[in-house]
Every structure is written in structure tokens, then in C-alpha cells.
Amino acid sequence: MQILVVEDEVSLANALKKILEQQGYFVDCVHDGLNAVDYAKGLDYNLIILDVMLPKLDGFEVIRILRKDGVSTPVLMLTARTSTADKVAGLNGGADDYMTKPFAAEELLARVNALTRRRGELIINTVDYGDLSLDLSSAVLTSGERTVQLSHKEFEVLKTFLSNPTMTVPTETLLINGWGMDSEATDNNVEVYVSFIRKKLKYLNSRVSIKKIQKIGYRLEVLE
Ligand code: CA
């Protein structure tokens, strides 16, 4: 997957590049609107992350030129502005999604995953419980309007819970599913990952929580 990052704040561009490369994306960065048009027309990117306030051409002009010239690459627009008018202008101009700076890396990755998987993927494979929905192909967890990207281990641990939603899952089972049979990981490792998942459930405002059952394991609970 190839992503073009267009952002004139070089430190932010580099931070985005690093976050995305850690997830296995290939990333090119450009820092003004003219270069953005050249790169986006010259190479077949899976996604363009496009800042609005840019030197030479702004993000809205960039997207107008690209769409006029038949470039249909999905565009995620970034902006420091928060007004609804800008949002509408961006989406009318052909942007596929919109994100306001500053943003959390998790939110960025959830949106990037959604946009890069949009093309050609018709089957959505999810596990649902309470107000949660876990996408099994992208490890994106959704509750209501909010989404969050899970790491590999968080995904394996939560998937185990969601496959046995009304049972107490033994810590041993979580260790095997998350770390493998031969791992040296201990109950403490599970505890740490459960705490990461709890933070994400909290961020999602989910009614689902993970309860510790002393000396046995953990169980999902849904608040009424
Ligand atoms: Ca800018």
C-alpha cells in the first residue's frame, strides 16, 4: 500500500510517515500543493493524506485539479480548522474523509485502514457484542461513531473475549491465543494488554467492560 502525505509542516509530515510505515505502508511526503498534484498524477497511490493550508496550491485546489483530471485516489483531508463550512467544502470537492488537527495516531490509522480497504473489499467480516463491532480483517474496533485501531495482541485478546462473550475466559487461553504456546509471557502480560483494551473501550464510550475474575481469568460485562 502506497500513501502520499501532503503536509507543509515537515515535523508533522515526518511523524505521519513514521506512524504509517510502522503499519507497513510505503509513504512519500511532499510539502506543497504543486508537488502534491505532480506526485498524485504520476504514481498510483492507495491513499492521499492532504493538508488544507499549503503553499502554492491549497488542499481544496489540489483535490479539484486531481478529480478534474480523473485521479480517483481516496483523499483524507487534514486541517487545523474546525468549521463545518470547511468540512462541507472538502467533501463536496471530492475528499473521502476529513480529520481535524490535532488527532491521535489511533484515529488516523482507523481512518487510513477504512479508506485503503474501501476499494474492492465487499465482504465485511465483523464480530459484534453489546455496542462493539470488531472488524476481523483490519482489527478496527467500533462503537457508535467512534473507531480505534487495535494492535495485534490487543486484537487477539479481544477476539478471544468476543468469541466467548458470556463466559469467563481463563488467563491461560488468553496467553495461548495472544502469545502462543511456547511463549514465556505470564499473567502480567495479559493484565497489561487487558488494561490497554480497557483504555480503548473507555475511549469508545462503550458499555462493554472487562471484569477480572480472581484466580481464573476475565469476563466481558455489558452495562445496562
Ligand atoms: Ca499546513
Side-chain angles (χ1 to χ4, degrees):
M1 290 275 191
Q2 297 257 24
I3 297 181
L4 179 63
V5 170
V6 187
E7 169 57 75
D8 57 315
E9 285 170 53
V10 175
S11 59
L12 179 56
N14 290 338
L16 287 168
K17 183 175 163 74
K18 201 172 158 195
I19 291 167
L20 293 165
E21 284 179 345
Q22 279 168 353
Q23 300 293 319
Y25 293 104
F26 295 95
V27 181
D28 290 329
C29 289
V30 294
H31 309 298
D32 68 67
L34 282 178
N35 270 320
V37 171
D38 282 348
Y39 273 69
K41 284 166 78 169
L43 285 162
D44 190 15
Y45 290 99
N46 299 91
L47 176 69
I48 302 166
I49 298 177
L50 180 62
D51 188 31
V52 171
M53 301 294 280
L54 289 169
K56 297 183 185 171
L57 293 174
D58 74 22
F60 296 131
E61 290 171 287
V62 168
I63 202 165
R64 257 194 297 278
I65 292 168
L66 292 180
R67 294 298 186 245
K68 186 167 68 68
D69 291 348
V71 178
S72 63
T73 311
V75 172
L76 171 60
M77 295 202 90
L78 298 182
T79 182
R81 304 176 188 176
T82 53
S83 83
T84 327
D86 272 353
K87 182 167 182 167
V88 171
L91 294 174
N92 281 347
D96 297 83
D97 201 355
Y98 194 92
M99 204 161 67
T100 307
K101 293 190 268 189
F103 47 81
E106 287 160 353
E107 187 189 0
L108 172 80
L109 290 174
R111 286 171 190 243
V112 166
N113 273 325
L115 289 169
T116 54
R117 283 168 190 278
R118 176 176 293 176
R119 290 200 282 189
E121 183 160 335
L122 296 172
I123 300 161
I124 298 166
N125 196 4
T126 62
V127 181
D128 300 333
Y129 182 65
D131 54 6
L132 290 179
S133 179
L134 177 62
D135 185 320
L136 298 177
S137 56
S138 64
V140 170
L141 184 65
T142 303
S143 179
E145 302 273 280
R146 292 195 160 189
T147 62
V148 71
Q149 175 72 47
L150 300 183
S151 72
H152 175 68
K153 281 194 174 49
E154 290 167 352
F155 172 71
E156 291 298 336
V157 169
L158 186 61
K159 193 174 72 176
T160 306
F161 283 122
L162 293 173
S163 309
N164 309 277
T166 57
M167 286 168 54
T168 297
V169 179
T171 309
E172 189 68 28
T173 305
L174 296 170
L175 271 171
I176 291 169
N177 289 358
W179 284 261
M181 291 289 258
D182 304 328
S183 159
E184 313 235 322
T186 65
D187 295 8
N188 285 338
N189 297 81
V190 175
E191 181 85 42
V192 167
Y193 275 86
V194 166
S195 77
F196 291 161
I197 296 167
R198 283 186 178 131
K199 278 190 194 131
K200 293 193 171 175
L201 293 174
K202 197 170 170 197
Y203 166 77
L204 293 171
N205 291 323
S206 173
R207 289 184 289 109
V208 178
S209 61
I210 302 174
K211 188 179 180 186
K212 184 166 188 173
I213 311 293
Q214 282 302 338
K215 298 198 168 77
I216 304 175
Y218 299 85
R219 194 176 63 205
L220 292 183
E221 286 196 331
V222 186
L223 296 174
E224 294 306 318

